[in-house]
Amino acid sequence: MAAISDFIALQAMRRPDVPAVADLASGKSWTYAGLDRLTGQLAQALLDRGLEPGDRLAVLARNRGELVALQHACARTGVIYVPLNWRLSAPELADLVEDCQPGLLLGDDQLAAAGLEGGDLAGFIAASGELAPVAGGEADPDRISLILYTSGTSGRPKGAMLSEANLTETAINFSILGDVTASSVFLCDAPMFHVIGLVTNVRPVLMRGGCCLVSDAFIPARTLSRLGDPDLGVTHYFCVPQMAAALRAEPDFNPASLRKLTGLFTGGAPHPAPNIEAWLDDGISIVDGFGMSETGTVFGMPIDRELIRQRAGSAGQGTPRIRSRIVGADGADCPVGEAGELCLKGPGVFSGYWQRPDANAEAFVDGWFRTGDIARADAQGFHWLVDRKKDMYISGGENVFPAEVESVLVAHPDIAECAIVGVGDERWGEVGHAFLVLRRESGCDADSVLAWLDGRIARYKLPRHVSILEALPRNGAGKILKRELQTYPIPGASR
């Protein structure tokens, strides 16, 4: 009797004719039976290329529905799937390929753009259609099946090694926190080199027998139209707060068309409470959460607009399947409400970084994964992400978390984006240097911004220096390069 190797195989037996994945760009779609067959055929294609358990398949390509099957095909054969970030520069991509040493590199037109030699992904997929699907078999759930590279804002990227057991935990945790059912329909236009695109948008809904709609890109007007399309029936959508703001800014934004959504799920950046409340006032649950490449889904807010309103800005609670601690500099647990480093333990936590024993030794202490995120929690287990530990600075003996100040600054009507870094100061040790990107036709200046900020935060948190830029420096994944900002010249007058 053939073993059931994954949730695609399980659902193919239980609901073979139910839609599983649809590719909105190409118009292709697969039922669970069809997706199971495609996964088996791609698994056989990998074996025919001579790939063995532990070998890496690297893929550089924009979103397409077949990538769901390809990653599962790797899991069935023991091959490790390595999605590459097509937003990176050619040298950065070459470094990743050198680091993971793939037995096979596949891609679309992004390969040529990056100057990399590899196989044609579309041709590989088409040729697999002539193959008999690989026979099912029991797969070791603790075997590594995926390497996700971190964005590398503070050094070269690290590859987080994730097993099928780790990925299943995200399916379970988000399924619980996000009210995922067999009737759920996820719209995925997050890039599938990211944990949100490849894991959180895929694993929970396939585990429950729902449907994943794969989009090739986030285009605000198009995404907004799809979210409100009754024929698509989208229930779940993931975005960062900036994407949510872009949806609201569209001329055709109509809250009534979005009220059938289970929720808009956000994370990855501070989300100002007024923005959250605007969605709630429109009758739409905007649900903040927290997860990482290394852990998958960790926290999530309840899908209840009144509970969200009561704790607007919180990343929510975890499930019993993951343990969390908040610890101070001495390694002891912080009192309730006090900020410290968030540490995690549980079956969803990754096993370590690819070929980085130095990073692994730093990341784990007594079996707890040190996230590097500063958080606080209340007595009911609701968590707030305060900042990254490495971004904190100490001014006059007081800890200052730039993200706290940034979350206030972005509420200023003339500020489009902002970032704050700590810089040296003879009197205070360190002070804040704020970098602002102003909205078009804004007439405000540094003095007026600081005057507006004064009284909204403690005075020791007020930036002492302000620079106005055309744009903030970012890496290939879109994250702000704060280390680069620290090299910018400090304005002559201290404020």
Side-chain angles (χ1 to χ4, degrees), residues 385-462:
L385 274 296
V386 178
D387 208 343
R388 290 292 292 169
K389 183 178 179 180
K390 62 182 176 60
D391 290 337
M392 185 196 82
Y393 62 91
I394 302 174
S395 185
E398 297 282 358
N399 293 344
V400 181
F401 300 105
E404 285 188 317
V405 184
E406 291 161 358
S407 68
V408 178
L409 273 173
V410 294
H412 189 291
D414 291 328
I415 295 177
E417 290 186 300
C418 65
I420 294 175
V421 299
V423 295
D425 183 82
E426 289 186 5
R427 180 179 180 186
W428 301 106
E430 290 180 292
V431 295
H433 185 174
F435 294 86
L436 311 178
V437 176
L438 302 179
R439 299 188 187 280
R440 291 180 181 177
E441 301 178 358
S442 169
C444 77
D445 57 16
D447 289 325
S448 65
V449 169
L450 287 174
W452 178 89
L453 192 58
D454 193 9
R456 286 179 164 84
I457 58 174
R459 291 193 63 83
Y460 72 85
K461 298 179 182 179
L462 287 172

Side-chain angles (χ1 to χ4, degrees), residues 174 178-187 201 205 210-213 226-229 232-238 258-265 284-285 287 303:
F174 186 79
D179 289 1
V180 184
T181 72
S183 300
S184 297
V185 178
F186 283 40
L187 173 61
N201 261 305
V205 72
C211 183
C212 178
L213 308 178
R226 287 171 171 173
L227 291 175
D229 186 342
L232 292 178
V234 176
T235 60
H236 291 67
Y237 181 70
F238 289 91
L258 306 180
R259 289 181 186 141
K260 291 185 179 180
L261 291 171
T262 300
L264 285 175
F265 297 86
I284 299 163
S285 294
V287 187
I303 303 177

